[in-house]
């Protein structure tokens, strides 16, 4: 039997021919293609779960490190800054004042630290398999959310111990969690892409995090900055708004940080958008130089 345009055999051969997908590197300022991340959401889930399982593998105290890191830092700061130097804490018990900031700072610092090296650590995977490269730093950051939850439980216990309950401002807590996540992802995208091209980033990140820690109002309140202009300039640090926002929604600190939080929020979004486009622009060379 023959039909117009070919025989039935030709049609069967065409039907059996496997589909061919050609992946070409992007040129110029490519679109973010965030839909690809949603398509590969299962890969994101498995990489996140893998990072959680291997993080404290073969450690003696396991997930307790998630609590000890901010807690021990809180103890050190309380001794030196709170007791010896008498740094003010806006009427809040100093240990609670510091720990409420340390848990969100630890999430940020650990997320940036792990995400910045995630692409180089998975070099073989990048060279052999196609997937949205952005999945790797995102999985490193998301795996830190479990640590944050564990540390947050301790914060709740400390709030009960010191008799410090949240006010209605706690309803804004999801917004500041989102701001912390936006800040972390934005910085991580920049540094992870730069680390592929310049391995100096790997050694610079720990120093950067130490300097950033003292540039953020963790051991001291932002209220020591009296000038409103300087306070808004201080808000260029996105973590300044995150930390002060956390204290406001959880500990009921005075709500006088609106402009600074607005500046921090705008800066966090700017870093995220810039980092995402920079990541997309440079990812086409990852497989060649990683």
């Amino acid at each position: 039997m023959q039909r117009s345009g070919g025989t039935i055999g030709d049609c069967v051969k065409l039907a059996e021919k496997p589909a061919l997908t050609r992946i070409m590197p992007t040129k110029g300022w490519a679109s973010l293609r965030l839909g690809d991340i949603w398509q590969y959401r299962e890969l994101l889930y498995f990489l996140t779960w893998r990072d959680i399982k291997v993080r404290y593998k073969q450690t003696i105290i396991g997930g307790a490190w998630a609590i000890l890191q901010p807690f021990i830092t809180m103890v050190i700061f309380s001794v030196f800054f709170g007791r010896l130097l008498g740094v003010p804490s806006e009427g809040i018990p100093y240990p609670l004042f510091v720990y409420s900031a340390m848990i969100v700072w630890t999430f940020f610092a650990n997320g940036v630290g792990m995400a910045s090296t995630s692409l180089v650590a998975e070099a073989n995977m990048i060279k052999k398999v196609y997937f949205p490269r952005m999945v790797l730093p995102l999985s490193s950051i998301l795996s830190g959310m479990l640590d944050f939850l564990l540390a947050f439980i301790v914060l709740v216990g400390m709030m009960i111990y010191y008799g410090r309950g949240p006010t209605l401002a706690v309803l804004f807590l999801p917004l500041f969690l989102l701001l912390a996540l936006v800040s972390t992802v934005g910085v991580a995208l920049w540094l992870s892409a730069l680390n592929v091209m310049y391995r100096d980033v790997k050694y610079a990140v720990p120093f950067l995090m130490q300097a950033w820690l003292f540039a953020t109002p963790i051991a001291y309140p932002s209220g020591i900055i009296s000038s409103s202009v300087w306070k808004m300039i201080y808000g260029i640090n996105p973590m300044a708004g995150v930390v002060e926002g956390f204290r406001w929604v959880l500990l009921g600190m005075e709500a006088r940080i609106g402009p600074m939080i607005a500046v921090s929020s705008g800066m966090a979004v700017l870093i995220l958008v810039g980092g995402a486009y920079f990541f997309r622009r440079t990812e086409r060379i990852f497989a060649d130089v990683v």
Side-chain angles (χ1 to χ4, degrees), residues 147-284:
D147 290 359
F148 175 82
L149 291 176
L150 293 174
F152 191 85
I153 293 173
V154 176
L155 174 63
V156 173
M158 291 180 65
M159 292 170 64
I160 295 173
Y161 176 79
Y162 286 106
R164 194 85 187 191
T167 63
L168 287 177
V170 75
L171 298 176
F172 293 96
L173 179 60
L175 293 180
F176 288 103
L177 288 173
L178 179 62
L179 182 58
L181 184 62
V182 167
S183 303
T184 307
V185 173
V187 176
L189 290 179
W190 277 102
L191 295 180
S192 59
L194 286 172
N195 188 48
V196 174
M197 296 179 284
Y198 310 103
R199 302 302 162 83
D200 310 72
V201 173
K202 174 183 176 181
Y203 303 100
V205 165
F207 172 74
L208 174 65
M209 289 297 107
Q210 289 180 10
W212 205 329
L213 168 68
F214 288 101
T216 303
I218 294 174
Y220 54 88
S222 66
I224 62 175
I225 305 174
S226 56
S227 170
S228 58
V229 175
W230 279 109
K231 189 169 289 186
M232 291 185 67
I233 295 175
Y234 186 61
I236 292 176
N237 173 7
M239 289 305 295
V242 172
V243 166
E244 289 291 81
F246 256 64
R247 286 181 178 141
W248 173 52
V249 300
L250 292 175
L251 306 180
M253 284 184 61
E254 186 180 352
R256 50 170 168 62
I257 48 180
M260 190 181 76
I261 287 183
V263 174
S264 294
S265 302
M267 197 65 192
V269 172
L270 187 64
I271 293 174
L272 174 64
V273 174
Y277 275 104
F278 178 73
F279 191 98
R280 282 285 295 142
R281 182 175 172 79
T282 55
E283 72 172 348
R284 62 176 179 269

Side-chain angles (χ1 to χ4, degrees), residues 31-93:
S31 65
L32 295 179
R33 296 172 60 182
L34 298 179
D36 288 357
I37 298 177
W38 176 252
Q39 290 181 355
Y40 284 81
R41 59 188 181 279
E42 291 187 2
L43 176 63
L44 177 61
Y45 167 77
F46 283 115
L47 289 176
T48 302
W49 184 239
R50 182 206 60 178
D51 289 345
I52 291 174
K53 289 195 295 185
V54 304
R55 176 171 300 172
Y56 300 115
K57 189 177 182 180
Q58 293 184 329
T59 60
I60 297 176
I61 60 175
W65 283 112
I67 299 172
L68 284 180
Q69 289 177 0
F71 194 84
I72 292 177
T73 307
M74 176 271 292
V75 172
I76 295 173
F77 279 16
S78 297
V79 172
F80 287 95
F81 292 98
R83 185 170 295 276
L84 297 181
L85 296 179
V87 175
S89 57
E90 305 283 345
I92 298 172

Side-chain angles (χ1 to χ4, degrees), residues 64-160:
W65 283 112
I67 299 172
L68 284 180
Q69 289 177 0
F71 194 84
I72 292 177
T73 307
M74 176 271 292
V75 172
I76 295 173
F77 279 16
S78 297
V79 172
F80 287 95
F81 292 98
R83 185 170 295 276
L84 297 181
L85 296 179
V87 175
S89 57
E90 305 283 345
I92 298 172
Y94 194 83
L96 185 60
F97 177 84
V98 171
Y99 188 79
S100 61
M102 277 306 305
I103 60 171
V104 69
W105 171 261
T106 303
F107 170 75
F108 171 78
N110 288 346
V112 170
M114 291 185 294
S116 62
T117 59
S118 59
L119 295 171
V120 177
E122 300 293 349
N124 290 331
M125 189 175 174
I126 291 176
K127 291 178 179 178
K128 296 177 180 177
V129 184
Y130 170 76
F131 61 95
R133 310 311 193 201
M134 207 176 287
V135 166
L136 290 174
L138 288 179
S139 64
S140 297
I141 294 169
L142 292 178
S143 64
M145 297 191 74
L146 180 61
D147 290 359
F148 175 82
L149 291 176
L150 293 174
F152 191 85
I153 293 173
V154 176
L155 174 63
V156 173
M158 291 180 65
M159 292 170 64
I160 295 173

